[in-house]
Amino acid sequence: MPEPSTIRLDKLLDHPAVMDAVADVNLELKERVAYQPPVCTVFKSPFTTLATDTQYQFEIDKEAHRQLSHIIANTVQRVEGCDDAADEVKENYRKARNIGIVFSGGPSPGGHNVIAGLFDAAKKVNPRTRIFGFLMGPDGIIDGDYMELTRERVDQYRNVGGFTMIKTGRTKIDNRKKMDLSRETCKQLELDALVVVGGDDSNTNAAFLAQEMFEDGVQVIGVPKTIDGDIQVRDARGQVLCAMSFGFHTAARAFSQAIANLCTDASSDVKYWHVCKVMGRVASHLALEVALQTHANMTLIGEDLADYVDYARLEKAEKERVVDYTAYGMTLRHLSRVTCDAIMQRAAVGKNYGVLVVPEGVLEFINEIQVFIIKLNTIIGNYNKMHDRDFHSAFPTLNEKLEYLRRLVRGIRKDVSYNVWNARDDELFNDIPEFFQEGLLTERDSHGNFQFSQVKTEKVLLDLVKDYLGILKEKGQYKIGIQDAQFVKTMQKGGLDPERYGPILFENWKQAQYLMIKKTIISRKTLKTALVKAGFLGDDETIPAPIEKIYNQSVPKFKTQTHFYGYDGRGSDPTRFDCIYTYNLGQTVFSLIANGATGQMAAILNLEQDFHSWRPIGIPIAPLMHLEERKGKLELVLEKSIVDVNSPAYRVVKTFRDKWLAATPGEDHYRHPGPIRFAGNSEENRPITLLLNAMGGHLSTPDQ
């Protein structure tokens, strides 16, 4: 046999096919980068103008009125196309500008297209306009670290995920020194406008920057970004102004594809429960969308848990003539029981597997956990305010933190927190697992928020579930159902009469397709006792192999695989929906700037409708602000939007909850959304929650 010829490495590496195979840019990426998103009709006009829309009203916070006086009177502004204008208006519209843009917070798919939309719109009007990207987030503004964005650089990142072009960061411009440094940077660059792309905290920052730089003539425009989907703006009458922040659709699709794959794996290997934690610290929008995309067997929605009422507990309290406040709101223990019930119901029909979706912030909706978080946030915030070093540096180990809390109870530490933490709190806190204590005492993020992504939420729940399933197993209640046909086949193959043994083994013999071993049979010993008692076996005889096989198949082993979906989704290449949405947000930003707006958030109305119905607008940020506790004190912030349990999307999920649990004989109802394809007619053009919620009043009753 001839020896294979050895190819010289340099020739191999120089071969076109090899070079193409290992290149950084593949064909799909080339097609993605070359895609030109369509623009809203108004942007096809030579000019745009802004028209005040008086149908939207806001309830103004007094503190917002005091702190944001320059921009508090802003109104909703519609972007309208204009074929011609007065010479003075044309001149101002077409003038060369210096515009800065910054990404703030975590990456969100589509951010690059905000830059591309702004860049294209600005350069089309005046090629001499300069766009500056601040590097590494708000730190770039504070430190004067920036780069001028060229067409070559912008073209490189069109329709591509991440914030790689200029990077991002989480710094807040929240004190006088940072604000003064930011103002100095804007002056040095002679900026006409600054664009802040970020979430609720970042748009809060944008409002204060607009206020501070109002008299300097620097316009500040915000852009709503977060994969969590918790920026959904409505006016005082509930009219939708911003239905969805960008990046949500892409992240949900990325998570859904991976979770749908786990549904396939679970129903193939039939031995694992896959527990999937998805991002969503304050709101469960992603979990809700994932439920609609995948039909996972069980999806916990935090907002639903917060609204839970235990009517059985209320009835008991009423009979005892007492008030049971614990009946309102889901407890951690009861949540574990609900989860166990679902697992047991599936096991009873032979499905000892499944997929459970859990939002990362689900524990925030559990009463006793929320109390702990509020109290610990206050204690940590008070300590940081009163001392030279922060709480976590002062008490680096868990034991040191716990000792500090005990000293508060004993009154040894006479600081502002001594009356926040009492003996009852200390007792309950010491009853929870050590790893969860550590999680609750973990360092807060830069905004003072509890970092649920750092807590093994799924482990907290699963430990309780496993413990309770163990108890139910000992009681003979948690068993795997045996298909009647399988039982008959196994017995006949072993030479035994199924009709004779069936009534002895099963509590529902001849009553169901899946047979349940009697609750009294919880071990081989009790199995043998039942056979001996029935006269089918002698004391010294062994259990027949077919019967032992059936018994072994009925004994559940609760095996789990845990997964966290967050960073992978926010780094995904955007869906076509997010590409088009963000590109038009960038175009909207320029229209707001060119028409003199400041303190506004760029948005698109009618996202739930076909593209030709989309309408670009500017939303006033200041009227949306309200006081909220942050780091132990009240601060003006933009309110997060949580899942509305009366919304059509939630009601649809609730309606199909039992169907998707599939605790019945037969196939599961898993849905496979497929990968983000970007091209082709089968790619969905908007989030399912957006589509369903747009139906609003078309559903008749709240419990439908």
Side-chain angles (χ1 to χ4, degrees):
M1 185 174 178
E3 291 288 327
S5 60
T6 303
I7 302 174
R8 281 176 49 187
L9 182 59
D10 58 345
K11 287 189 175 182
L12 180 67
L13 296 178
D14 288 339
H15 193 283
V18 174
M19 293 175 67
D20 187 56
V22 299
D24 290 344
V25 179
N26 59 25
L27 181 60
E28 184 174 341
L29 182 58
K30 289 178 182 177
E31 292 177 351
R32 175 176 278 276
V33 169
Y35 174 70
Q36 178 60 46
V39 294
C40 296
T41 304
V42 296
F43 298 131
K44 296 176 182 179
S45 301
F47 306 96
T48 59
T49 59
L50 300 180
T52 297
D53 197 328
T54 57
Q55 68 172 304
Y56 300 103
Q57 305 295 322
F58 302 94
E59 294 178 359
I60 309 296
D61 189 289
K62 290 181 180 178
E63 191 62 20
H65 200 286
R66 187 183 71 82
Q67 294 190 36
L68 301 167
S69 57
H70 291 317
I71 59 173
I72 197 66
N74 284 8
T75 60
V76 173
Q77 295 173 307
R78 296 193 314 272
V79 179
E80 297 183 344
C82 180
D83 292 331
D84 201 2
D87 290 343
E88 185 180 347
V89 174
K90 286 182 183 178
E91 185 179 350
N92 184 67
Y93 190 88
R94 290 171 171 167
K95 74 176 184 179
R97 291 177 167 85
N98 291 337
I99 301 172
I101 188 166
V102 63
F103 288 141
S104 180
S108 193
H112 288 140
N113 270 24
V114 175
I115 293 179
L118 169 62
F119 185 92
D120 289 352
K123 291 291 187 179
K124 178 183 177 183
V125 169
N126 192 323
R128 290 183 295 111
T129 287
R130 304 172 72 187
I131 310 292
F132 298 94
F134 289 104
L135 306 179
M136 303 303 297
D139 275 329
I141 307 174
I142 297 167
D143 300 332
D145 192 7
Y146 59 87
M147 68 183 300
E148 183 169 356
L149 300 179
T150 62
R151 183 166 297 280
E152 181 182 18
R153 180 124 182 116
V154 173
D155 287 350
Q156 184 182 351
Y157 291 98
R158 291 177 185 272
N159 309 305
V160 175
F163 284 179
T164 313
M165 189 195 300
I166 56 175
K167 312 297 189 277
T168 188
R170 294 187 176 275
T171 298
K172 286 185 72 174
I173 303 173
D174 55 0
N175 59 43
R176 176 49 52 195
K177 182 179 179 181
K178 292 178 184 177
M179 191 65 73
D180 288 344
L181 289 170
S182 300
R183 176 184 279 111
E184 186 58 34
T185 297
C186 292
K187 284 183 178 179
Q188 288 176 1
L189 284 173
E190 297 181 347
L191 288 190
D192 295 281
L194 173 64
V195 182
V196 180
V197 182
D200 57 309
D201 282 315
S202 302
N203 276 277
T204 295
N205 244 184
F208 282 103
L209 284 165
Q211 171 72 18
E212 288 286 335
M213 298 187 184
F214 186 85
E215 293 181 351
D216 297 328
V218 179
Q219 300 164 250
V220 181
I221 303 297
V223 181
K225 173 258 358 165
T226 169
I227 67 167
D228 289 355
D230 55 15
I231 297 183
Q232 296 180 15
V233 182
R234 289 173 172 78
D235 76 344
R237 291 185 292 173
Q239 297 181 98
V240 176
L241 286 161
C242 176
M244 191 70 66
S245 52
F246 79 77
F248 172 83
H249 185 230
T250 302
R253 283 294 311 279
F255 299 158
S256 296
Q257 182 196 349
I259 291 171
N261 290 345
L262 293 177
C263 292
T264 300
D265 179 83
S267 58
S268 302
D269 208 17
V270 296
K271 66 178 180 181
Y272 288 117
W273 267 89
H274 290 284
V275 181
C276 307
K277 181 170 72 171
V278 301
M279 269 192 174
R281 183 180 62 80
V282 172
S284 307
H285 296 293
L286 279 169
L288 186 67
E289 179 72 18
V290 166
L292 289 162
Q293 292 274 359
T294 67
H295 301 177
N297 300 114
M298 190 176 185
T299 301
L300 302 180
I301 303 297
E303 293 83 346
D304 177 40
L305 305 182
D307 278 2
Y308 176 80
V309 178
D310 190 335
Y311 291 103
R313 191 184 288 269
L314 281 179
E315 188 177 336
K316 180 183 176 184
E318 189 177 346
K319 289 179 180 177
E320 297 173 357
R321 296 185 177 181
V322 296
V323 178
D324 188 350
Y325 294 104
T326 63
Y328 299 94
M330 181 74 72
T331 64
L332 192 56
R333 184 171 297 277
H334 188 68
L335 177 59
S336 69
R337 301 299 189 260
V338 171
T339 307
C340 285
D341 286 346
I343 292 166
M344 286 174 55
Q345 288 174 45
R346 282 181 60 81
V349 292
K351 299 175 181 177
N352 194 38
Y353 64 88
V355 176
L356 168 63
V357 175
V358 182
E360 87 177 293
V362 68
L363 296 180
E364 188 165 355
F365 295 93
I366 304 298
N367 280 2
E368 68 262 44
I369 304 304
Q370 184 61 26
V371 170
F372 279 143
I373 290 170
I374 292 170
K375 290 195 171 193
L376 293 173
N377 280 355
T378 302
I379 290 168
I380 294 169
N382 285 342
Y383 187 92
N384 293 344
K385 185 178 180 180
M386 300 294 294
H387 298 80
D388 291 334
R389 54 180 179 163
D390 70 276
F391 180 84
H392 298 284
S393 299
F395 309 104
T397 68
L398 176 62
N399 285 335
E400 288 174 305
K401 291 181 176 73
L402 293 176
E403 179 57 29
Y404 176 78
L405 294 176
R406 294 188 195 104
R407 292 170 76 179
L408 287 178
V409 173
R410 296 196 296 267
I412 297 173
R413 307 273 324 182
K414 289 293 183 182
D415 60 24
V416 291
S417 295
Y418 81 94
N419 61 348
V420 174
W421 195 256
N422 57 45
R424 177 62 174 159
D425 295 324
D426 208 52
E427 180 185 344
L428 290 172
F429 197 71
N430 286 319
D431 282 343
I432 65 178
E434 186 175 292
F435 80 90
F436 193 27
Q437 289 178 336
E438 258 186 311
L440 289 169
L441 284 164
T442 193
E443 191 166 358
R444 272 50 179 167
D445 66 18
S446 58
H447 305 310
N449 297 321
F450 180 75
Q451 299 189 77
F452 276 103
S453 61
Q454 303 301 315
V455 178
K456 294 182 178 178
T457 306
E458 66 282 10
K459 183 172 175 13
V460 177
L461 179 60
L462 285 178
D463 280 4
L464 289 171
V465 167
K466 287 175 181 177
D467 287 347
Y468 192 53
L469 285 177
I471 293 171
L472 295 173
K473 190 174 177 181
E474 290 176 3
K475 291 181 177 180
Q477 296 176 25
Y478 176 34
K479 297 176 184 291
I480 299 176
I482 305 297
Q483 195 171 23
D484 53 3
Q486 179 191 353
F487 169 69
V488 170
K489 182 178 179 180
T490 301
M491 296 295 285
Q492 289 176 343
K493 189 175 181 180
L496 300 178
D497 183 5
E499 295 292 336
R500 186 171 180 235
Y501 284 91
I504 305 302
L505 298 175
F506 303 111
E507 61 184 29
N508 61 339
W509 175 246
K510 295 287 189 182
Q511 297 174 32
Q513 183 181 342
Y514 279 83
L515 306 173
M516 298 296 291
I517 295 285
K518 288 183 176 179
K519 292 178 181 177
T520 53
I521 301 176
I522 58 173
S523 63
R524 285 178 178 80
K525 182 178 180 180
T526 53
L527 172 62
K528 183 174 180 178
T529 299
L531 293 171
V532 170
K533 187 177 179 180
F536 292 171
L537 200 66
D539 289 335
D540 298 328
E541 293 180 295
T542 60
I543 300 172
I547 294 177
E548 184 156 1
K549 181 179 180 180
I550 290 295
Y551 169 75
N552 289 338
Q553 289 173 346
S554 76
V555 178
K557 296 180 180 65
F558 183 60
K559 295 182 178 181
T560 61
Q561 296 286 344
T562 57
H563 315 264
F564 175 54
Y565 296 103
Y567 304 107
D568 46 350
R570 73 184 197 182
S572 176
D573 283 332
T575 58
R576 187 162 49 190
F577 170 84
D578 272 326
C579 284
I580 298 171
Y581 179 20
T582 49
Y583 188 77
N584 280 276
L585 281 175
Q587 296 267 325
T588 304
V589 166
F590 178 74
S591 285
L592 292 170
I593 293 171
N595 286 284
T598 189
Q600 298 288 84
M601 180 194 296
I604 308 287
L605 281 178
N606 305 331
L607 285 175
E608 73 284 355
Q609 299 178 26
D610 291 335
F611 175 70
H612 64 79
S613 298
W614 288 15
R615 299 290 180 266
I617 61 169
I619 304 172
I621 305 176
L624 305 177
M625 309 274 276
H626 73 292
L627 287 172
E628 188 175 297
E629 185 181 352
R630 294 288 176 92
K631 296 184 179 181
K633 63 180 182 179
L634 291 174
E635 294 183 1
L636 277 178
V637 295
L638 194 67
E639 186 176 12
K640 292 179 182 290
S641 172
I642 61 175
V643 171
D644 178 3
V645 295
N646 291 314
S647 68
Y650 173 77
R651 284 151 58 190
V652 167
V653 169
K654 186 177 180 180
T655 299
F656 285 102
R657 189 171 278 167
D658 288 341
K659 179 180 179 180
W660 295 345
L661 178 62
T664 53
E667 297 294 324
D668 289 295
H669 298 280
Y670 299 136
R671 178 181 185 272
H672 298 272
I676 296 171
R677 289 179 294 278
F678 190 71
N681 295 328
S682 60
E683 181 76 348
E684 65 186 31
N685 58 7
R686 61 183 66 87
I688 298 177
T689 49
L690 192 64
L691 183 67
L692 294 176
N693 286 340
M695 298 177 68
H698 296 300
L699 299 180
S700 54
T701 58
D703 58 349
Q704 232 180 333

